[in-house]
Amino acid sequence: MITVVGLRSYPVKGCAGVEHVAVDVGLMGLAHDRAFLVVGPGGVGRTQRRDPRLAVVRPEVVGEKLVLWAPGFGEVSAVVDTEGPRQDVTMFGDPYRGIDQGDEVAGWLTEVLQAPSRLVRVPPEHHRVIEGPTSGVSGFADSAAVHLLSLASYRQLCERIGGAAVPLDRFRPNIVVDGLPAHGEDDLRHCAIGPVRLGFTRLAVRCAVVQVDQTAGTRAGPEPLRTLAGYRRAKTGVTFGTKLSVITGGPIALGDELVPHQV
């Protein structure tokens, strides 16, 4: 039996995750996942690749309010704006639109990150299609809406690294499952978790983000990228985990069974 043992969403791209016992899944992934993006001058999206301090910012969506907290800076909150003026933003050079979430949040983020920053949210009409064997839509995620990782894959990596292996949170998965063999997630083409139906879009290509200490918000390399590069290198890059698109949404919870199936 393949069981869901971890659920985590990341409301603000690049910031800390929120753990869930149960969560709703929509076409753009777990509720609020990567719905917000921190941008710098010119609307250029910030990620941990260049701004590892994003990791210390802990977001939470409470009703219609977004709350951000960081050590030494306290918290700031704002009512989420989904109707304000749209502005141009870019992520990895691609153009999108976002709704600015106000000066108070922007000033707070600028202090925490020590760089001019503002926060935007995907507008209701956001429709970013990620192509693959199963295509789907996503918010400000790197690619497909759901990142799934097998616990066995992580354990095998830790064995290969040896010593003080890296924490699981370095990989920022949405769903962690137990019961698949190591890298068995690579072969998932369609699967179900309760009412939720997911389809394979692409393997998760890893970058320097996995070298960021998610507690301290600092680069801590060279692991795990060095070890992964020794046995997980593909044409697309170093892969670890899989990216899935949502075919049918619904609620999921820890302990739910993941059922691979054919379509």
Side-chain angles (χ1 to χ4, degrees), residues 106-130:
W108 186 88
L109 282 168
T110 296
E111 287 190 42
V112 174
L113 300 178
Q114 301 172 15
S117 301
R118 301 195 69 85
L119 185 70
V120 301
R121 187 191 186 280
V122 292
E125 69 274 12
H126 180 87
H127 188 73
R128 174 185 171 218
V129 177
I130 307 299

Side-chain angles (χ1 to χ4, degrees), residues 17-243:
V18 178
E19 294 185 2
H20 302 279
V21 173
V23 65
D24 289 331
V25 177
L27 293 181
M28 290 199 295
L30 276 63
H32 309 298
D33 189 62
R34 277 89 170 194
F36 297 88
L37 175 70
V38 180
V39 298
V44 178
R46 296 191 182 279
T47 74
Q48 287 187 26
R49 291 163 178 81
R50 293 189 176 182
D51 296 279
R53 275 187 61 78
L54 284 166
V56 306
V57 177
R58 300 191 173 278
E60 184 179 9
V61 179
V62 183
E64 297 181 355
K65 182 182 291 187
L66 174 69
V67 181
L68 303 176
W69 178 89
F73 294 90
E75 71 176 37
V76 67
S77 64
V79 175
V80 177
D81 186 352
T82 59
E83 299 179 355
R86 278 58 170 164
Q87 68 177 59
D88 293 331
V89 299
T90 60
M91 188 173 70
F92 308 129
D94 293 326
Y96 300 101
R97 304 284 277 171
I99 300 174
D100 191 275
Q101 298 300 300
D103 291 340
E104 186 176 4
V105 171
W108 186 88
L109 282 168
T110 296
E111 287 190 42
V112 174
L113 300 178
Q114 301 172 15
S117 301
R118 301 195 69 85
L119 185 70
V120 301
R121 187 191 186 280
V122 292
E125 69 274 12
H126 180 87
H127 188 73
R128 174 185 171 218
V129 177
I130 307 299
E131 301 287 350
T134 299
S135 299
V137 295
S138 72
F140 289 128
D142 277 7
S143 58
V146 173
H147 173 204
L148 184 143
L149 182 64
S150 164
L151 201 56
S153 302
Y154 171 69
R155 288 170 175 158
Q156 184 186 84
L157 171 63
C158 291
E159 290 174 1
R160 285 174 173 265
I161 294 174
V166 299
L168 181 62
D169 64 6
R170 293 274 191 97
F171 304 100
R172 301 174 64 79
N174 293 119
I175 301 174
V176 179
V177 298
D178 197 9
L180 275 175
H183 307 296
E185 63 270 39
D186 293 4
D187 300 320
L188 286 177
R189 289 301 175 263
H190 291 88
C191 61
I193 304 173
V196 175
R197 300 293 184 271
L198 305 169
F200 175 82
T201 302
R202 62 187 63 168
L203 296 179
V205 176
R206 312 318 306 208
C207 65
V209 170
V210 298
Q211 297 173 312
V212 174
D213 183 319
Q214 296 296 304
T215 300
T218 56
R219 291 186 178 88
E223 295 295 1
L225 207 53
R226 179 174 63 185
T227 295
L228 282 172
Y231 74 107
R232 291 292 299 173
R233 189 176 293 278
K235 290 182 179 179
T236 53
V238 176
T239 66
F240 191 70
T242 192
K243 296 292 185 75

